[in-house]
Amino acid sequence: MAKQPDSDIKLPDPATWAKNWARITEQSHKLLAEFASRQTTEGAPLVPGHFDVDPLNLGKAYLDFTAKLLAEPDKLVEAQMKLWRDYATLWANATDRFLGKETQPLVEPAKGDKRFKDPAWQENVVFDYLKQSYLLTARWVQDTMRQADGIDPKVAKKVDFYTRQFIDAMSPSNFLLTNPEVLRATFESNGENLVKGLENLLKDLERGKGKLNIKMVDSKAFTVGGNIAVTPGKVIYQNDLMQLIQYEPTTEKVYKRPLFIVPPWINKFYILDLKPENSFIRWMTDKGYTVFVVSWNQPDESLADKTFESYMREGILEGLDAIQKATGEKEVTAIGYCIGGTLMAATLAWMAAKGDDRIKAVTFFAAQVDFSDAGELSVFTDEDTLRYLDKLMADRGYLEGGEMATTFNMLRANDLIWSFVVNNYLLGKEPFPFDLLYWNSDCTRMPAKMHQFYLRNMYQKNLLSQPGALELAGEHLDLRKINIPVYLQASREDHIAPYRSVYKATQLYSGPVRFVLAGSGHIAGVINHPNQKKYQHWLNDTKKNPPKVEDWLKDAKEYPGSWWDDWDKWLSAKSGPKVPARKPGGGKLKPIEDAPGSYVKKRIVD
């Protein structure tokens, strides 16, 4: 016999239940009053005298979509009939289960969907029906939306993305009365979980100054330079935009050519140095490399005028000059990660035009240079969205870090938004002290001029991939002039830099390109220490990189674990002979402060 709805939920104590509901009512009044106060004092429109209720122009996009769907009523009728048939089958299955018969699920959650992991979603007839009904409807909505013909592909992608946001928000797992785990916790704690959840919600609103800033991690559990980002080193150079860190050697001899790492400035560099046991930086020093890393500053009004060119000049070019002074070495190898890789590619093309050949080999981690297939982030680069961003950045001169964090979290809303809504507000729990989520919550701002240049010229116009189309510091960039060895890494489940997009660079550089496809996503696919023995990677040594990644995959071989050892073998051969290890401060540049430096410790929200 199937388990009944209330079979594993005990009844609450009436007195405690009533007391907690009174507290919930009181907290709710406080919450509404706080919200109303914030709207009065801080709710001014972006443009004086005009309140734009639809700054992203979603209304027009959905109207256009609806018109296209209604133009083909036969498709809508067919889709509606299919949904009715599925519901009829689901209801029949639920009835059979209630009567004790075995049935097979009509629809199941996608692999990796953690929303329905509680056993009651499978064992309980009512909750199983709710789950399958939701999944059927969600699938039907998205399939139906995709049937509209004659829609601009960019508009179609935008509608599909925001439709999924709505569908994710309406999951029964996100509501008290339709989530068995939350119901169980509510009855067992006499509603104490909801009291605690409202307290958490108020704290998040307070921390976000009226905007919901969901707490993802116990921030007090970590200290940058205390128990994360602890690899020993020194800041040996700094300017307004960055600090350059040289790390202490851990071997008696090191490769002659230093390794220069340029991380993204959308997040902070210590993703490469979270803990000693999984630190990429520590692993590289143990392998005998002299490691230099850029730590970008936290932009405020004083850095509002910094441009993409500023990041090239003050980040990479001044970094190269500083490395030469610190070590006496002109030649280096380099790494560019994510947007740091896009900047590195642009800089290499600029250097090639100038005859500057200091970088002798380069590695790209999850870095795009051809944005024609850039994935869902392109949803945020249509003209309506960019105009909206212009308004957001107009007064301050930068994009607030929380805006960027929300954008990335929306790409994985169930994992990075709704799971915390359930945990923090419905279950009333504190978030887990997880170093990766601490890093993810350590937001950074974007200077307005730099950010708009990047979004318009890369994502919107895709100029970097077109020879001579993008001008930077007086030079028209041509990626074909990059003829040094390239190691190009991508991750199979990367939702920020999709591997199909990253792979396109194999067709642009003139030098030899070794492409590796890692398992997992944008972070775990890159930061995967060999000792962890996790995931896998693919290599193709049978032929030159074909134009399409699908053809590359046909002949690729899968290997267990991290790709780091393959990369070390590749890089070591291009790093010169071994020389005595170099200490930070041993050259012409003296240490300014200990790693990880002061720039990385500037936090927007605690």
Side-chain angles (χ1 to χ4, degrees):
M1 192 76 175
K3 186 177 287 189
Q4 298 306 305
D6 58 349
S7 60
D8 58 350
I9 298 176
K10 70 177 184 178
L11 294 177
D13 173 67
T16 308
W17 178 263
K19 180 180 177 182
N20 280 334
W21 274 104
R23 292 170 63 194
I24 290 170
T25 302
E26 180 183 352
Q27 291 280 46
S28 297
H29 282 306
K30 182 179 178 182
L31 186 64
L32 290 172
E34 177 74 11
F35 178 78
S37 174
R38 291 287 187 182
Q39 299 312 302
T40 301
T41 59
E42 300 178 13
L46 291 169
V47 180
H50 173 69
F51 185 78
D52 192 348
V53 296
D54 186 17
L56 304 185
N57 206 18
L58 292 175
K60 183 179 184 303
Y62 274 96
L63 282 174
D64 291 346
F65 230 87
T66 302
K68 293 292 184 182
L69 286 172
L70 292 175
E72 299 180 277
D74 54 326
K75 286 187 178 181
L76 275 179
V77 171
E78 182 182 348
Q80 188 67 53
M81 290 299 296
K82 182 181 185 307
L83 181 63
W84 285 343
R85 289 194 297 269
D86 285 341
Y87 270 133
T89 303
L90 178 60
W91 181 253
N93 286 354
T95 302
D96 287 344
R97 280 201 65 191
F98 191 81
L99 297 174
K101 299 180 181 179
E102 292 291 332
T103 63
Q104 293 299 316
L106 189 61
V107 61
E108 294 193 83
K111 182 181 178 181
D113 190 340
K114 301 174 184 177
R115 292 175 293 176
F116 306 105
K117 65 180 186 298
D118 189 280
W121 289 112
Q122 287 74 44
E123 298 171 359
N124 185 287
V125 175
V126 173
F127 288 118
D128 180 53
Y129 178 84
L130 282 172
K131 175 192 69 179
Q132 292 196 60
S133 176
Y134 163 75
L135 292 174
L136 279 175
T137 305
R139 183 178 67 184
W140 177 82
V141 169
Q142 288 196 290
D143 287 349
T144 302
M145 297 295 284
R146 291 166 183 163
Q147 288 181 12
D149 295 326
I151 291 287
D152 184 318
K154 292 182 179 180
V155 175
K157 183 177 287 187
K158 185 174 183 176
V159 169
D160 183 72
F161 178 81
Y162 283 102
T163 299
R164 194 175 75 243
Q165 300 305 308
F166 173 77
I167 289 171
D168 289 345
M170 297 306 295
S171 170
S173 59
N174 297 334
F175 300 93
L176 165 63
L177 297 179
T178 52
N179 185 321
E181 183 182 7
V182 175
L183 269 179
R184 190 184 306 115
T186 303
F187 280 101
E188 290 178 352
S189 71
N190 295 298
E192 186 68 33
N193 59 305
L194 299 180
V195 175
K196 179 62 178 173
L198 278 172
E199 291 175 355
N200 290 340
L201 179 58
L202 284 167
K203 290 177 183 176
D204 288 351
L205 284 169
E206 183 65 30
R207 193 173 67 255
K209 298 179 180 179
K211 295 181 180 179
L212 187 60
N213 188 333
I214 302 175
K215 185 178 180 181
M216 294 185 176
V217 66
D218 179 6
S219 59
K220 295 180 181 179
F222 300 101
T223 303
V224 176
N227 55 358
I228 52 176
V230 295
T231 299
K234 303 287 184 182
V235 175
I236 53 97
Y237 178 79
Q238 69 180 35
N239 54 37
D240 290 343
L241 203 53
M242 67 90 166
Q243 290 186 318
L244 183 66
I245 302 171
Q246 180 181 355
Y247 285 91
E248 296 278 355
T250 55
T251 56
E252 291 185 3
K253 293 201 170 186
V254 295
Y255 293 103
K256 190 173 188 295
R257 288 176 179 166
L259 174 63
F260 180 34
I261 303 177
V262 180
W265 54 89
I266 291 175
N267 296 104
K268 294 185 178 178
F269 85 89
Y270 65 87
I271 187 60
L272 302 168
D273 190 31
L274 283 176
K275 294 180 293 188
E277 57 265 33
N278 66 358
S279 169
F280 175 79
I281 291 171
R282 178 57 186 259
W283 188 80
M284 292 306 298
T285 60
D286 288 345
K287 288 293 181 179
Y289 295 91
T290 304
V291 178
F292 290 83
V293 175
V294 168
S295 173
W296 300 105
N297 201 356
Q298 180 73 275
D300 56 17
E301 292 85 351
S302 66
L303 300 180
D305 290 331
K306 296 298 182 182
T307 63
F308 199 79
E309 180 182 331
S310 302
Y311 277 76
M312 178 183 76
R313 290 191 181 280
E314 298 175 45
I316 295 182
L317 298 179
E318 289 191 22
L320 289 171
D321 293 339
I323 290 172
Q324 186 172 355
K325 291 177 182 177
T327 65
E329 296 295 336
K330 180 181 178 181
E331 297 179 352
V332 305
T333 61
I335 297 173
Y337 190 172
C338 189
I339 189 175
T342 307
L343 176 69
M344 179 65 72
T347 304
L348 283 168
W350 186 88
M351 292 172 69
K354 293 289 189 180
D356 186 340
D357 62 351
R358 285 178 287 177
I359 298 176
K360 295 300 183 181
V362 65
T363 301
F364 294 107
F365 295 166
Q368 300 174 92
V369 293
D370 183 331
F371 290 78
S372 59
D373 189 16
E376 289 187 327
L377 273 179
S378 59
V379 167
F380 300 95
T381 59
D382 65 294
E383 194 56 38
D384 293 318
T385 305
L386 293 186
R387 280 198 297 265
Y388 173 62
L389 289 177
D390 282 337
K391 296 174 185 178
L392 284 179
M393 296 187 290
D395 292 334
R396 298 175 302 212
Y398 58 81
L399 183 66
E400 190 56 75
E403 302 285 348
M404 283 297 303
T406 299
T407 297
F408 286 114
N409 291 343
M410 286 174 69
L411 299 179
R412 293 175 54 201
N414 288 325
D415 291 333
L416 294 177
I417 297 177
W418 296 112
S419 66
F420 293 98
V421 168
V422 173
N423 181 81
N424 299 7
Y425 307 149
L426 297 183
L427 293 174
K429 295 180 180 180
E430 291 294 327
F432 189 74
F434 184 24
D435 57 354
L436 183 59
L437 285 177
Y438 177 85
W439 168 84
N440 188 63
S441 300
D442 194 359
C443 303
T444 57
R445 303 184 182 111
M446 300 290 110
K449 291 182 179 180
M450 180 284 302
H451 199 49
Q452 286 290 38
F453 178 92
Y454 174 62
L455 294 180
R456 290 185 185 279
N457 291 293
M458 310 303 179
Y459 275 97
Q460 192 181 71
K461 300 177 182 178
N462 193 27
L463 297 184
L464 182 58
S465 66
Q466 303 170 38
L470 182 65
E471 183 178 354
L472 188 63
E475 296 291 341
H476 291 273
L477 305 185
D478 187 349
L479 297 179
R480 297 174 302 178
K481 293 182 179 179
I482 301 174
N483 57 10
I484 59 175
V486 173
Y487 195 100
L488 187 61
Q489 181 273 343
S491 299
R492 188 148 197 171
E493 298 169 25
D494 194 333
H495 58 289
I496 294 173
Y499 74 89
R500 287 182 174 83
S501 180
V502 174
Y503 182 83
K504 291 177 180 292
T506 63
Q507 309 302 302
L508 297 173
Y509 305 129
S510 296
V513 179
R514 183 168 180 79
F515 180 74
V516 60
L517 182 62
S520 196
H522 192 70
I523 302 302
V526 175
I527 309 304
N528 182 22
H529 198 291
N531 290 347
Q532 294 180 334
K533 302 185 185 302
K534 293 178 66 176
Y535 311 123
Q536 69 282 95
H537 62 281
W538 291 263
L539 292 166
N540 183 344
D541 293 316
T542 61
K543 58 186 178 182
K544 186 178 179 181
N545 299 317
K548 294 184 178 179
V549 69
E550 290 78 11
D551 294 328
W552 183 93
L553 281 167
K554 288 177 184 177
D555 295 316
K557 182 178 179 180
E558 181 178 338
Y559 297 88
S562 175
W563 52 271
W564 287 10
D565 287 324
D566 177 78
W567 175 69
D568 173 49
K569 183 179 178 181
W570 177 89
L571 183 63
S572 62
K574 296 163 180 60
S575 297
K578 291 289 186 74
V579 299
R582 313 170 177 106
K583 287 276 189 180
K588 295 180 180 180
L589 296 179
K590 299 307 176 185
I592 298 171
E593 60 180 317
D594 289 337
S598 54
Y599 284 8
V600 73
K601 295 178 182 179
K602 297 180 182 180
R603 288 178 61 83
I604 299 174
V605 178
D606 291 321

